[in-house]
Amino acid sequence: MATPTTTVLPTLLRTVRMPSDFEGYVLIPLAEFGLSLDSPDLGVWLEGFAGRNKDAVGDFEITARGELKIMSPIGMPGDWHQAEIMTSLGVWAREAGGRAGDPTSAFWLVDGSLRGPDTWWMSAERWNSLPAEARKPFRAGVPDFLVEIVSSSNRESELEDKVEVYLQGGARLVWVINARLRRVTVYRAGAEPEILQDPDMLGGGDVLPGFAFNVRERIFDNVP
């Protein structure tokens, strides 16, 4: 295998795959960097690549097709919405335990992809079961709870596939929040999705006992 390249955002326009029906990201085959999904040093390489380019673009992911996904910064109001739910979840987790985080923490999924949910929480039991080498530079395993917020760099049909892989990997509860449509789709392990139109409060149920989030006030009504 070729030695992985370390170029800072190389000019690869001939290999970039641009989605035809929405904006927000570009896709570059890992082969352009001398890598594949099977490369043992893929995570280390991506950590370095993201670090060198952190001031140029938004987040990075690896798709199950073996592509580097480079996403534009989330911008407003998406970053406000993400901060609202991350703050609420972090306060709850401080008392309940476990680890909460944002897209800067990505997870290797069962289909070989690397994804960074907008917000997540992992129980202390699940976190402590991970070997130390599986916790960085990117985490193995899937959090118990994840939140995805529909933005210009994704759409609900794409997020449905992403959520399915989360559930296959062991996620217990996933919220997909569409602020524009004032809708939340709730996914639970072993159950059919539940669509909530303009809900007021979202509860964590038995996955996050005692956690409640006022999605109407904090997200739906929090648009400039």
Side-chain angles (χ1 to χ4, degrees):
M1 179 180 295
T3 301
T5 61
T6 57
T7 312
V8 176
L9 280 182
T11 304
L12 295 169
L13 295 181
R14 64 183 177 82
T15 59
V16 169
R17 182 161 67 86
M18 297 290 292
S20 59
D21 55 348
F22 65 108
E23 300 177 349
Y25 64 78
V26 296
L27 297 159
I28 303 175
L30 289 174
E32 293 296 328
F33 304 96
L35 293 161
S36 73
L37 289 177
D38 297 327
S39 298
D41 53 355
L42 180 57
V44 175
W45 174 85
L46 182 60
E47 183 183 35
F49 183 89
R52 289 189 298 275
N53 293 283
K54 62 183 179 181
D55 296 326
V57 294
D59 295 321
F60 300 86
E61 291 184 339
I62 300 293
T63 73
R65 297 177 55 164
E67 298 166 313
L68 173 67
K69 181 177 182 180
I70 303 176
M71 295 168 284
S72 59
I74 188 172
M76 293 186 289
D79 55 350
W80 295 353
H81 298 161
Q82 182 180 302
E84 287 284 1
I85 194 166
M86 180 64 243
T87 299
S88 296
L89 185 63
V91 170
W92 174 86
R94 192 173 301 128
E95 297 296 327
R99 301 292 182 100
D102 58 24
T104 57
S105 300
F107 296 87
W108 292 109
L109 305 181
V110 294
D111 64 353
S113 64
L114 179 74
R115 302 290 191 176
D118 289 314
T119 305
W120 58 271
W121 174 79
M122 184 180 288
S123 66
E125 180 182 10
R126 186 172 292 195
W127 176 267
N128 292 333
S129 71
L130 297 176
E133 62 272 16
R135 298 178 187 174
K136 57 183 183 180
F138 301 103
R139 283 123 173 110
V142 176
D144 298 78
F145 170 65
L146 306 99
V147 180
E148 293 285 357
I149 300 174
V150 178
S151 68
S152 62
S153 64
N154 53 47
R155 54 182 175 177
E156 285 195 272
S157 59
E158 180 196 17
L159 288 177
E160 288 174 3
D161 295 336
K162 193 174 181 180
V163 169
E164 180 61 31
V165 181
Y166 287 153
L167 295 173
Q168 290 175 5
R172 300 166 60 199
L173 177 65
V174 184
W175 294 347
V176 175
I177 299 174
N178 190 320
R180 182 178 63 85
L181 299 180
R182 302 178 73 92
R183 183 174 69 204
V184 179
T185 305
V186 179
Y187 298 83
R188 298 179 180 87
E192 290 296 314
E194 179 183 7
I195 298 176
L196 306 176
Q197 188 61 48
D198 198 21
D200 182 8
M201 302 293 294
L202 297 176
D206 59 356
V207 178
L208 299 89
F211 177 65
F213 180 69
N214 192 329
V215 66
R216 182 180 296 167
E217 177 184 344
R218 298 297 183 181
I219 291 185
F220 295 157
D221 294 340
N222 189 10
V223 177

